Amino acid sequence: MDAGKPDTDPPEPQADSLSHRLAAALAGLRLPGGGRGAAAAFGLLLAAGPLLTLAGATLLARHEKRATLRLQEQVAPRLQAEAAAREARAALANAAGRAAPGVVLELLAGTLPPEAKLTRVERTGDGGLELDVTGGDPDALRAAIRRAPEFAGMRNTSQRRTDAAMIVSMREDAQ
């Protein structure tokens, strides 16, 4: 190719693109209405792809949701049994690591002032200790209980007056 001289080489043939091939295929078809019919058919063809994809995805999603629900129904009893076993293991571990009820009562008897009375001792499901102590001076009751190293983690939960004395409720959380 020289500047100022015309090209003598014929132009290279261009590869047929998709639109060229589609136009050639549509040109061979006999569509009613001429150009408008071809344009309408082409538009419908273009719109059908995404619509079919959306419809197929919706059907697949519904199928998978039904399958998931079926599996959840099948697995639900096993999950409930595992949760119950996990709770039982936790309760057993909490109970095994604690002092026996007799030992707790003896420790409390040695800790409480002489005028104090133990009205309630309870081991909770999580392994914590709850107790109610009746006495004249609630501050002295709390101080006496906390002096014992075994009950140092006790915290005051409530205090109420009865006719003759004060009832102090304390709780030790599970460790």
Side-chain angles (χ1 to χ4, degrees):
M1 172 178 209
D2 291 327
K5 290 186 181 179
D7 287 338
T8 56
D9 298 334
E12 294 179 20
Q14 293 184 356
D16 285 338
S17 66
L18 179 62
S19 60
H20 284 107
R21 285 185 272 157
L22 185 59
L26 287 176
L29 292 176
R30 291 220 152 296
L31 295 174
R36 287 188 183 203
F42 188 67
L44 287 174
L45 188 66
L46 285 176
L51 290 176
L52 289 175
T53 302
L54 181 62
T58 303
L59 289 174
L60 286 174
R62 285 182 188 161
H63 178 271
E64 292 304 318
K65 190 170 187 173
R66 282 192 303 269
T68 301
L69 290 174
R70 239 184 351 265
L71 284 174
Q72 286 175 344
E73 289 173 2
Q74 290 173 356
V75 174
R78 175 188 269 172
L79 292 176
Q80 289 173 348
E82 286 178 5
R86 195 172 24 257
E87 289 175 15
R89 281 191 298 273
L92 184 61
N94 284 330
R98 300 294 189 161
V103 173
V104 171
L105 290 175
E106 286 199 27
L107 289 171
L108 281 170
T111 303
L112 293 174
E115 74 278 357
K117 294 179 185 170
L118 187 63
T119 56
R120 180 179 73 94
V121 176
E122 180 181 343
R123 184 70 71 186
T124 61
D126 64 355
L129 183 66
E130 288 184 358
L131 55 97
D132 289 348
V133 182
T134 305
D137 184 12
D139 293 328
L141 292 174
R142 284 190 289 269
I145 291 172
R146 288 188 183 135
R147 267 196 300 270
E150 298 85 9
F151 303 113
M154 299 294 287
R155 61 180 172 81
N156 190 36
T157 56
S158 70
Q159 172 179 316
R160 57 194 180 280
R161 179 171 268 314
T162 64
D163 293 336
M166 293 289 290
I167 299 176
V168 176
S169 297
M170 299 185 81
R171 174 169 171 70
E172 175 189 41
D173 291 327
Q175 296 173 356

PDB file of all heavy atoms in Angstrom, residues 5-45:
ATOM      1  N   LYS A   5      -1.603   6.118  -4.074  1.00  0.00           N
ATOM      2  CA  LYS A   5      -1.967   5.154  -5.101  1.00  0.00           C
ATOM      3  C   LYS A   5      -3.146   4.327  -4.606  1.00  0.00           C
ATOM      4  O   LYS A   5      -3.192   3.928  -3.437  1.00  0.00           O
ATOM      5  CB  LYS A   5      -0.800   4.215  -5.393  1.00  0.00           C
ATOM      6  CG  LYS A   5       0.344   4.887  -6.090  1.00  0.00           C
ATOM      7  CD  LYS A   5       1.346   3.837  -6.458  1.00  0.00           C
ATOM      8  CE  LYS A   5       2.523   4.461  -7.147  1.00  0.00           C
ATOM      9  NZ  LYS A   5       3.505   3.464  -7.494  1.00  0.00           N
ATOM     10  N   PRO A   6      -4.075   4.002  -5.456  1.00  0.00           N
ATOM     11  CA  PRO A   6      -5.198   3.171  -5.037  1.00  0.00           C
ATOM     12  C   PRO A   6      -4.733   1.742  -4.774  1.00  0.00           C
ATOM     13  O   PRO A   6      -3.781   1.258  -5.360  1.00  0.00           O
ATOM     14  CB  PRO A   6      -6.166   3.237  -6.203  1.00  0.00           C
ATOM     15  CG  PRO A   6      -5.391   3.722  -7.357  1.00  0.00           C
ATOM     16  CD  PRO A   6      -4.204   4.457  -6.838  1.00  0.00           C
ATOM     17  N   ASP A   7      -5.474   1.069  -3.828  1.00  0.00           N
ATOM     18  CA  ASP A   7      -5.170  -0.332  -3.520  1.00  0.00           C
ATOM     19  C   ASP A   7      -5.594  -1.207  -4.674  1.00  0.00           C
ATOM     20  O   ASP A   7      -6.685  -1.067  -5.214  1.00  0.00           O
ATOM     21  CB  ASP A   7      -5.919  -0.789  -2.261  1.00  0.00           C
ATOM     22  CG  ASP A   7      -5.339  -0.201  -1.003  1.00  0.00           C
ATOM     23  OD1 ASP A   7      -4.164   0.196  -1.017  1.00  0.00           O
ATOM     24  OD2 ASP A   7      -6.064  -0.152   0.019  1.00  0.00           O
ATOM     25  N   THR A   8      -4.719  -2.082  -5.084  1.00  0.00           N
ATOM     26  CA  THR A   8      -5.055  -3.021  -6.147  1.00  0.00           C
ATOM     27  C   THR A   8      -5.501  -4.366  -5.581  1.00  0.00           C
ATOM     28  O   THR A   8      -6.081  -5.168  -6.301  1.00  0.00           O
ATOM     29  CB  THR A   8      -3.831  -3.234  -7.059  1.00  0.00           C
ATOM     30  OG1 THR A   8      -2.751  -3.673  -6.260  1.00  0.00           O
ATOM     31  CG2 THR A   8      -3.474  -1.966  -7.787  1.00  0.00           C
ATOM     32  N   ASP A   9      -5.208  -4.570  -4.306  1.00  0.00           N
ATOM     33  CA  ASP A   9      -5.612  -5.837  -3.672  1.00  0.00           C
ATOM     34  C   ASP A   9      -7.101  -5.777  -3.338  1.00  0.00           C
ATOM     35  O   ASP A   9      -7.613  -4.752  -2.865  1.00  0.00           O
ATOM     36  CB  ASP A   9      -4.837  -6.077  -2.378  1.00  0.00           C
ATOM     37  CG  ASP A   9      -3.338  -6.208  -2.622  1.00  0.00           C
ATOM     38  OD1 ASP A   9      -2.964  -6.592  -3.724  1.00  0.00           O
ATOM     39  OD2 ASP A   9      -2.571  -5.917  -1.668  1.00  0.00           O
ATOM     40  N   PRO A  10      -7.798  -6.868  -3.581  1.00  0.00           N
ATOM     41  CA  PRO A  10      -9.218  -6.882  -3.200  1.00  0.00           C
ATOM     42  C   PRO A  10      -9.337  -6.886  -1.664  1.00  0.00           C
ATOM     43  O   PRO A  10      -8.471  -7.407  -0.966  1.00  0.00           O
ATOM     44  CB  PRO A  10      -9.751  -8.169  -3.813  1.00  0.00           C
ATOM     45  CG  PRO A  10      -8.563  -9.035  -3.991  1.00  0.00           C
ATOM     46  CD  PRO A  10      -7.393  -8.115  -4.192  1.00  0.00           C
ATOM     47  N   PRO A  11     -10.403  -6.336  -1.103  1.00  0.00           N
ATOM     48  CA  PRO A  11     -10.556  -6.337   0.369  1.00  0.00           C
ATOM     49  C   PRO A  11     -10.707  -7.769   0.890  1.00  0.00           C
ATOM     50  O   PRO A  11     -11.272  -8.624   0.220  1.00  0.00           O
ATOM     51  CB  PRO A  11     -11.825  -5.532   0.613  1.00  0.00           C
ATOM     52  CG  PRO A  11     -12.547  -5.505  -0.691  1.00  0.00           C
ATOM     53  CD  PRO A  11     -11.524  -5.704  -1.764  1.00  0.00           C
ATOM     54  N   GLU A  12     -10.181  -7.984   2.089  1.00  0.00           N
ATOM     55  CA  GLU A  12     -10.260  -9.323   2.686  1.00  0.00           C
ATOM     56  C   GLU A  12     -11.707  -9.611   3.053  1.00  0.00           C
ATOM     57  O   GLU A  12     -12.421  -8.738   3.549  1.00  0.00           O
ATOM     58  CB  GLU A  12      -9.383  -9.394   3.936  1.00  0.00           C
ATOM     59  CG  GLU A  12      -7.911  -9.247   3.634  1.00  0.00           C
ATOM     60  CD  GLU A  12      -7.076  -9.305   4.898  1.00  0.00           C
ATOM     61  OE1 GLU A  12      -7.571  -9.822   5.924  1.00  0.00           O
ATOM     62  OE2 GLU A  12      -5.941  -8.843   4.862  1.00  0.00           O
ATOM     63  N   PRO A  13     -12.165 -10.813   2.817  1.00  0.00           N
ATOM     64  CA  PRO A  13     -13.554 -11.129   3.169  1.00  0.00           C
ATOM     65  C   PRO A  13     -13.720 -11.121   4.694  1.00  0.00           C
ATOM     66  O   PRO A  13     -12.882 -11.650   5.413  1.00  0.00           O
ATOM     67  CB  PRO A  13     -13.781 -12.514   2.589  1.00  0.00           C
ATOM     68  CG  PRO A  13     -12.426 -13.098   2.413  1.00  0.00           C
ATOM     69  CD  PRO A  13     -11.479 -11.942   2.218  1.00  0.00           C
ATOM     70  N   GLN A  14     -14.803 -10.481   5.168  1.00  0.00           N
ATOM     71  CA  GLN A  14     -15.075 -10.427   6.605  1.00  0.00           C
ATOM     72  C   GLN A  14     -15.803 -11.704   7.011  1.00  0.00           C
ATOM     73  O   GLN A  14     -16.619 -12.234   6.267  1.00  0.00           O
ATOM     74  CB  GLN A  14     -15.940  -9.222   6.934  1.00  0.00           C
ATOM     75  CG  GLN A  14     -15.220  -7.905   6.696  1.00  0.00           C
ATOM     76  CD  GLN A  14     -16.098  -6.735   7.124  1.00  0.00           C
ATOM     77  OE1 GLN A  14     -17.226  -6.912   7.506  1.00  0.00           O
ATOM     78  NE2 GLN A  14     -15.547  -5.544   7.025  1.00  0.00           N
ATOM     79  N   ALA A  15     -15.481 -12.142   8.219  1.00  0.00           N
ATOM     80  CA  ALA A  15     -16.147 -13.348   8.724  1.00  0.00           C
ATOM     81  C   ALA A  15     -17.600 -13.007   9.019  1.00  0.00           C
ATOM     82  O   ALA A  15     -17.923 -11.905   9.451  1.00  0.00           O
ATOM     83  CB  ALA A  15     -15.445 -13.814   9.988  1.00  0.00           C
ATOM     84  N   ASP A  16     -18.461 -13.953   8.735  1.00  0.00           N
ATOM     85  CA  ASP A  16     -19.876 -13.723   8.998  1.00  0.00           C
ATOM     86  C   ASP A  16     -20.095 -13.645  10.509  1.00  0.00           C
ATOM     87  O   ASP A  16     -19.707 -14.555  11.243  1.00  0.00           O
ATOM     88  CB  ASP A  16     -20.724 -14.851   8.414  1.00  0.00           C
ATOM     89  CG  ASP A  16     -20.838 -14.749   6.902  1.00  0.00           C
ATOM     90  OD1 ASP A  16     -20.632 -13.640   6.384  1.00  0.00           O
ATOM     91  OD2 ASP A  16     -21.129 -15.777   6.273  1.00  0.00           O
ATOM     92  N   SER A  17     -20.724 -12.585  10.938  1.00  0.00           N
ATOM     93  CA  SER A  17     -21.043 -12.458  12.356  1.00  0.00           C
ATOM     94  C   SER A  17     -22.389 -13.125  12.608  1.00  0.00           C
ATOM     95  O   SER A  17     -23.097 -13.518  11.683  1.00  0.00           O
ATOM     96  CB  SER A  17     -21.090 -10.992  12.765  1.00  0.00           C
ATOM     97  OG  SER A  17     -22.170 -10.361  12.110  1.00  0.00           O
ATOM     98  N   LEU A  18     -22.754 -13.220  13.883  1.00  0.00           N
ATOM     99  CA  LEU A  18     -24.013 -13.829  14.253  1.00  0.00           C
ATOM    100  C   LEU A  18     -25.188 -13.046  13.676  1.00  0.00           C
ATOM    101  O   LEU A  18     -26.153 -13.629  13.181  1.00  0.00           O
ATOM    102  CB  LEU A  18     -24.135 -13.927  15.779  1.00  0.00           C
ATOM    103  CG  LEU A  18     -25.414 -14.533  16.324  1.00  0.00           C
ATOM    104  CD1 LEU A  18     -25.561 -15.969  15.855  1.00  0.00           C
ATOM    105  CD2 LEU A  18     -25.433 -14.470  17.837  1.00  0.00           C
ATOM    106  N   SER A  19     -25.066 -11.737  13.720  1.00  0.00           N
ATOM    107  CA  SER A  19     -26.168 -10.927  13.179  1.00  0.00           C
ATOM    108  C   SER A  19     -26.289 -11.090  11.657  1.00  0.00           C
ATOM    109  O   SER A  19     -27.396 -11.105  11.120  1.00  0.00           O
ATOM    110  CB  SER A  19     -25.989  -9.457  13.554  1.00  0.00           C
ATOM    111  OG  SER A  19     -24.781  -8.965  13.027  1.00  0.00           O
ATOM    112  N   HIS A  20     -25.144 -11.232  10.948  1.00  0.00           N
ATOM    113  CA  HIS A  20     -25.201 -11.463   9.499  1.00  0.00           C
ATOM    114  C   HIS A  20     -25.870 -12.803   9.194  1.00  0.00           C
ATOM    115  O   HIS A  20     -26.711 -12.907   8.298  1.00  0.00           O
ATOM    116  CB  HIS A  20     -23.791 -11.455   8.876  1.00  0.00           C
ATOM    117  CG  HIS A  20     -23.225 -10.071   8.731  1.00  0.00           C
ATOM    118  ND1 HIS A  20     -22.218  -9.626   9.551  1.00  0.00           N
ATOM    119  CD2 HIS A  20     -23.529  -9.063   7.888  1.00  0.00           C
ATOM    120  CE1 HIS A  20     -21.907  -8.381   9.214  1.00  0.00           C
ATOM    121  NE2 HIS A  20     -22.702  -8.010   8.209  1.00  0.00           N
ATOM    122  N   ARG A  21     -25.482 -13.813   9.954  1.00  0.00           N
ATOM    123  CA  ARG A  21     -26.067 -15.135   9.721  1.00  0.00           C
ATOM    124  C   ARG A  21     -27.557 -15.150  10.061  1.00  0.00           C
ATOM    125  O   ARG A  21     -28.361 -15.767   9.376  1.00  0.00           O
ATOM    126  CB  ARG A  21     -25.329 -16.197  10.524  1.00  0.00           C
ATOM    127  CG  ARG A  21     -23.962 -16.537   9.897  1.00  0.00           C
ATOM    128  CD  ARG A  21     -23.292 -17.663  10.620  1.00  0.00           C
ATOM    129  NE  ARG A  21     -22.519 -17.061  11.721  1.00  0.00           N
ATOM    130  CZ  ARG A  21     -22.150 -17.683  12.809  1.00  0.00           C
ATOM    131  NH1 ARG A  21     -22.454 -18.940  12.981  1.00  0.00           N
ATOM    132  NH2 ARG A  21     -21.466 -17.082  13.726  1.00  0.00           N
ATOM    133  N   LEU A  22     -27.943 -14.437  11.161  1.00  0.00           N
ATOM    134  CA  LEU A  22     -29.340 -14.382  11.543  1.00  0.00           C
ATOM    135  C   LEU A  22     -30.158 -13.627  10.498  1.00  0.00           C
ATOM    136  O   LEU A  22     -31.254 -14.044  10.126  1.00  0.00           O
ATOM    137  CB  LEU A  22     -29.490 -13.715  12.917  1.00  0.00           C
ATOM    138  CG  LEU A  22     -30.876 -13.696  13.502  1.00  0.00           C
ATOM    139  CD1 LEU A  22     -31.415 -15.111  13.665  1.00  0.00           C
ATOM    140  CD2 LEU A  22     -30.878 -12.991  14.837  1.00  0.00           C
ATOM    141  N   ALA A  23     -29.597 -12.536   9.953  1.00  0.00           N
ATOM    142  CA  ALA A  23     -30.294 -11.772   8.915  1.00  0.00           C
ATOM    143  C   ALA A  23     -30.457 -12.623   7.656  1.00  0.00           C
ATOM    144  O   ALA A  23     -31.510 -12.581   7.005  1.00  0.00           O
ATOM    145  CB  ALA A  23     -29.531 -10.489   8.608  1.00  0.00           C
ATOM    146  N   ALA A  24     -29.428 -13.399   7.311  1.00  0.00           N
ATOM    147  CA  ALA A  24     -29.515 -14.249   6.128  1.00  0.00           C
ATOM    148  C   ALA A  24     -30.558 -15.339   6.325  1.00  0.00           C
ATOM    149  O   ALA A  24     -31.317 -15.663   5.405  1.00  0.00           O
ATOM    150  CB  ALA A  24     -28.153 -14.873   5.832  1.00  0.00           C
ATOM    151  N   ALA A  25     -30.625 -15.889   7.546  1.00  0.00           N
ATOM    152  CA  ALA A  25     -31.615 -16.929   7.810  1.00  0.00           C
ATOM    153  C   ALA A  25     -33.022 -16.357   7.787  1.00  0.00           C
ATOM    154  O   ALA A  25     -33.957 -16.978   7.275  1.00  0.00           O
ATOM    155  CB  ALA A  25     -31.337 -17.583   9.148  1.00  0.00           C
ATOM    156  N   LEU A  26     -33.189 -15.168   8.347  1.00  0.00           N
ATOM    157  CA  LEU A  26     -34.510 -14.539   8.360  1.00  0.00           C
ATOM    158  C   LEU A  26     -34.926 -14.077   6.964  1.00  0.00           C
ATOM    159  O   LEU A  26     -36.116 -14.042   6.646  1.00  0.00           O
ATOM    160  CB  LEU A  26     -34.538 -13.368   9.344  1.00  0.00           C
ATOM    161  CG  LEU A  26     -34.542 -13.742  10.827  1.00  0.00           C
ATOM    162  CD1 LEU A  26     -34.477 -12.492  11.683  1.00  0.00           C
ATOM    163  CD2 LEU A  26     -35.744 -14.580  11.183  1.00  0.00           C
ATOM    164  N   ALA A  27     -33.934 -13.718   6.128  1.00  0.00           N
ATOM    165  CA  ALA A  27     -34.252 -13.278   4.772  1.00  0.00           C
ATOM    166  C   ALA A  27     -34.829 -14.428   3.961  1.00  0.00           C
ATOM    167  O   ALA A  27     -35.667 -14.229   3.085  1.00  0.00           O
ATOM    168  CB  ALA A  27     -33.004 -12.718   4.082  1.00  0.00           C
ATOM    169  N   GLY A  28     -34.396 -15.633   4.263  1.00  0.00           N
ATOM    170  CA  GLY A  28     -34.890 -16.793   3.544  1.00  0.00           C
ATOM    171  C   GLY A  28     -36.280 -17.218   4.004  1.00  0.00           C
ATOM    172  O   GLY A  28     -36.967 -17.959   3.317  1.00  0.00           O
ATOM    173  N   LEU A  29     -36.710 -16.767   5.156  1.00  0.00           N
ATOM    174  CA  LEU A  29     -38.031 -17.129   5.664  1.00  0.00           C
ATOM    175  C   LEU A  29     -39.094 -16.238   5.046  1.00  0.00           C
ATOM    176  O   LEU A  29     -38.871 -15.070   4.774  1.00  0.00           O
ATOM    177  CB  LEU A  29     -38.083 -16.961   7.191  1.00  0.00           C
ATOM    178  CG  LEU A  29     -37.247 -17.916   8.023  1.00  0.00           C
ATOM    179  CD1 LEU A  29     -37.361 -17.538   9.495  1.00  0.00           C
ATOM    180  CD2 LEU A  29     -37.725 -19.347   7.835  1.00  0.00           C
ATOM    181  N   ARG A  30     -40.237 -16.807   4.879  1.00  0.00           N
ATOM    182  CA  ARG A  30     -41.355 -16.008   4.385  1.00  0.00           C
ATOM    183  C   ARG A  30     -42.193 -15.630   5.587  1.00  0.00           C
ATOM    184  O   ARG A  30     -42.959 -16.429   6.116  1.00  0.00           O
ATOM    185  CB  ARG A  30     -42.186 -16.823   3.418  1.00  0.00           C
ATOM    186  CG  ARG A  30     -41.424 -17.090   2.137  1.00  0.00           C
ATOM    187  CD  ARG A  30     -42.315 -16.953   1.094  1.00  0.00           C
ATOM    188  NE  ARG A  30     -42.486 -16.655  -0.187  1.00  0.00           N
ATOM    189  CZ  ARG A  30     -42.259 -15.499  -0.782  1.00  0.00           C
ATOM    190  NH1 ARG A  30     -41.755 -14.504  -0.161  1.00  0.00           N
ATOM    191  NH2 ARG A  30     -42.562 -15.340  -2.030  1.00  0.00           N
ATOM    192  N   LEU A  31     -42.024 -14.427   6.059  1.00  0.00           N
ATOM    193  CA  LEU A  31     -42.789 -13.940   7.199  1.00  0.00           C
ATOM    194  C   LEU A  31     -43.853 -12.977   6.715  1.00  0.00           C
ATOM    195  O   LEU A  31     -43.590 -12.131   5.868  1.00  0.00           O
ATOM    196  CB  LEU A  31     -41.874 -13.218   8.193  1.00  0.00           C
ATOM    197  CG  LEU A  31     -40.818 -14.087   8.867  1.00  0.00           C
ATOM    198  CD1 LEU A  31     -39.902 -13.229   9.695  1.00  0.00           C
ATOM    199  CD2 LEU A  31     -41.467 -15.158   9.714  1.00  0.00           C
ATOM    200  N   PRO A  32     -45.055 -13.092   7.255  1.00  0.00           N
ATOM    201  CA  PRO A  32     -46.101 -12.153   6.834  1.00  0.00           C
ATOM    202  C   PRO A  32     -45.805 -10.758   7.377  1.00  0.00           C
ATOM    203  O   PRO A  32     -45.249 -10.583   8.436  1.00  0.00           O
ATOM    204  CB  PRO A  32     -47.372 -12.727   7.449  1.00  0.00           C
ATOM    205  CG  PRO A  32     -46.912 -13.566   8.591  1.00  0.00           C
ATOM    206  CD  PRO A  32     -45.554 -14.060   8.218  1.00  0.00           C
ATOM    207  N   GLY A  33     -46.171  -9.767   6.664  1.00  0.00           N
ATOM    208  CA  GLY A  33     -46.022  -8.391   7.116  1.00  0.00           C
ATOM    209  C   GLY A  33     -44.673  -7.790   6.823  1.00  0.00           C
ATOM    210  O   GLY A  33     -44.399  -6.686   7.250  1.00  0.00           O
ATOM    211  N   GLY A  34     -43.831  -8.453   6.173  1.00  0.00           N
ATOM    212  CA  GLY A  34     -42.555  -7.880   5.771  1.00  0.00           C
ATOM    213  C   GLY A  34     -41.621  -7.670   6.947  1.00  0.00           C
ATOM    214  O   GLY A  34     -41.428  -8.534   7.768  1.00  0.00           O
ATOM    215  N   GLY A  35     -41.042  -6.500   7.052  1.00  0.00           N
ATOM    216  CA  GLY A  35     -40.017  -6.172   8.034  1.00  0.00           C
ATOM    217  C   GLY A  35     -40.532  -6.141   9.465  1.00  0.00           C
ATOM    218  O   GLY A  35     -39.827  -6.492  10.390  1.00  0.00           O
ATOM    219  N   ARG A  36     -41.766  -5.728   9.653  1.00  0.00           N
ATOM    220  CA  ARG A  36     -42.305  -5.665  11.015  1.00  0.00           C
ATOM    221  C   ARG A  36     -42.475  -7.059  11.610  1.00  0.00           C
ATOM    222  O   ARG A  36     -42.242  -7.277  12.780  1.00  0.00           O
ATOM    223  CB  ARG A  36     -43.642  -4.943  11.022  1.00  0.00           C
ATOM    224  CG  ARG A  36     -43.468  -3.467  10.810  1.00  0.00           C
ATOM    225  CD  ARG A  36     -44.761  -2.769  11.014  1.00  0.00           C
ATOM    226  NE  ARG A  36     -44.567  -1.364  10.744  1.00  0.00           N
ATOM    227  CZ  ARG A  36     -45.315  -0.422  11.212  1.00  0.00           C
ATOM    228  NH1 ARG A  36     -46.354  -0.743  11.960  1.00  0.00           N
ATOM    229  NH2 ARG A  36     -45.065   0.826  10.939  1.00  0.00           N
ATOM    230  N   GLY A  37     -42.909  -7.972  10.827  1.00  0.00           N
ATOM    231  CA  GLY A  37     -43.057  -9.349  11.322  1.00  0.00           C
ATOM    232  C   GLY A  37     -41.714  -9.943  11.714  1.00  0.00           C
ATOM    233  O   GLY A  37     -41.604 -10.641  12.729  1.00  0.00           O
ATOM    234  N   ALA A  38     -40.693  -9.676  10.926  1.00  0.00           N
ATOM    235  CA  ALA A  38     -39.363 -10.181  11.241  1.00  0.00           C
ATOM    236  C   ALA A  38     -38.845  -9.553  12.523  1.00  0.00           C
ATOM    237  O   ALA A  38     -38.243 -10.221  13.368  1.00  0.00           O
ATOM    238  CB  ALA A  38     -38.413  -9.907  10.081  1.00  0.00           C
ATOM    239  N   ALA A  39     -39.104  -8.271  12.694  1.00  0.00           N
ATOM    240  CA  ALA A  39     -38.662  -7.577  13.901  1.00  0.00           C
ATOM    241  C   ALA A  39     -39.404  -8.123  15.126  1.00  0.00           C
ATOM    242  O   ALA A  39     -38.811  -8.314  16.188  1.00  0.00           O
ATOM    243  CB  ALA A  39     -38.890  -6.078  13.761  1.00  0.00           C
ATOM    244  N   ALA A  40     -40.693  -8.378  14.982  1.00  0.00           N
ATOM    245  CA  ALA A  40     -41.475  -8.920  16.094  1.00  0.00           C
ATOM    246  C   ALA A  40     -40.977 -10.321  16.458  1.00  0.00           C
ATOM    247  O   ALA A  40     -40.845 -10.664  17.639  1.00  0.00           O
ATOM    248  CB  ALA A  40     -42.945  -8.954  15.731  1.00  0.00           C
ATOM    249  N   ALA A  41     -40.705 -11.146  15.441  1.00  0.00           N
ATOM    250  CA  ALA A  41     -40.210 -12.495  15.706  1.00  0.00           C
ATOM    251  C   ALA A  41     -38.849 -12.441  16.390  1.00  0.00           C
ATOM    252  O   ALA A  41     -38.573 -13.200  17.321  1.00  0.00           O
ATOM    253  CB  ALA A  41     -40.129 -13.278  14.404  1.00  0.00           C
ATOM    254  N   PHE A  42     -38.014 -11.539  15.938  1.00  0.00           N
ATOM    255  CA  PHE A  42     -36.691 -11.381  16.541  1.00  0.00           C
ATOM    256  C   PHE A  42     -36.816 -10.905  17.992  1.00  0.00           C
ATOM    257  O   PHE A  42     -36.109 -11.382  18.880  1.00  0.00           O
ATOM    258  CB  PHE A  42     -35.850 -10.411  15.705  1.00  0.00           C
ATOM    259  CG  PHE A  42     -34.432 -10.331  16.145  1.00  0.00           C
ATOM    260  CD1 PHE A  42     -33.576 -11.413  16.000  1.00  0.00           C
ATOM    261  CD2 PHE A  42     -33.931  -9.158  16.701  1.00  0.00           C
ATOM    262  CE1 PHE A  42     -32.268 -11.330  16.401  1.00  0.00           C
ATOM    263  CE2 PHE A  42     -32.616  -9.071  17.116  1.00  0.00           C
ATOM    264  CZ  PHE A  42     -31.778 -10.164  16.965  1.00  0.00           C
ATOM    265  N   GLY A  43     -37.715  -9.980  18.260  1.00  0.00           N
ATOM    266  CA  GLY A  43     -37.943  -9.493  19.629  1.00  0.00           C
ATOM    267  C   GLY A  43     -38.456 -10.590  20.543  1.00  0.00           C
ATOM    268  O   GLY A  43     -38.034 -10.711  21.703  1.00  0.00           O
ATOM    269  N   LEU A  44     -39.386 -11.403  20.033  1.00  0.00           N
ATOM    270  CA  LEU A  44     -39.885 -12.517  20.833  1.00  0.00           C
ATOM    271  C   LEU A  44     -38.787 -13.523  21.127  1.00  0.00           C
ATOM    272  O   LEU A  44     -38.713 -14.084  22.228  1.00  0.00           O
ATOM    273  CB  LEU A  44     -41.047 -13.198  20.112  1.00  0.00           C
ATOM    274  CG  LEU A  44     -42.370 -12.432  20.094  1.00  0.00           C
ATOM    275  CD1 LEU A  44     -43.384 -13.169  19.223  1.00  0.00           C
ATOM    276  CD2 LEU A  44     -42.897 -12.266  21.503  1.00  0.00           C
ATOM    277  N   LEU A  45     -37.952 -13.756  20.154  1.00  0.00           N
ATOM    278  CA  LEU A  45     -36.850 -14.686  20.343  1.00  0.00           C
ATOM    279  C   LEU A  45     -35.891 -14.176  21.417  1.00  0.00           C
ATOM    280  O   LEU A  45     -35.427 -14.947  22.263  1.00  0.00           O
ATOM    281  CB  LEU A  45     -36.118 -14.884  19.009  1.00  0.00           C
ATOM    282  CG  LEU A  45     -35.054 -15.955  18.975  1.00  0.00           C
ATOM    283  CD1 LEU A  45     -35.691 -17.322  19.152  1.00  0.00           C
ATOM    284  CD2 LEU A  45     -34.311 -15.907  17.643  1.00  0.00           C
TER     285      LEU A  45
END
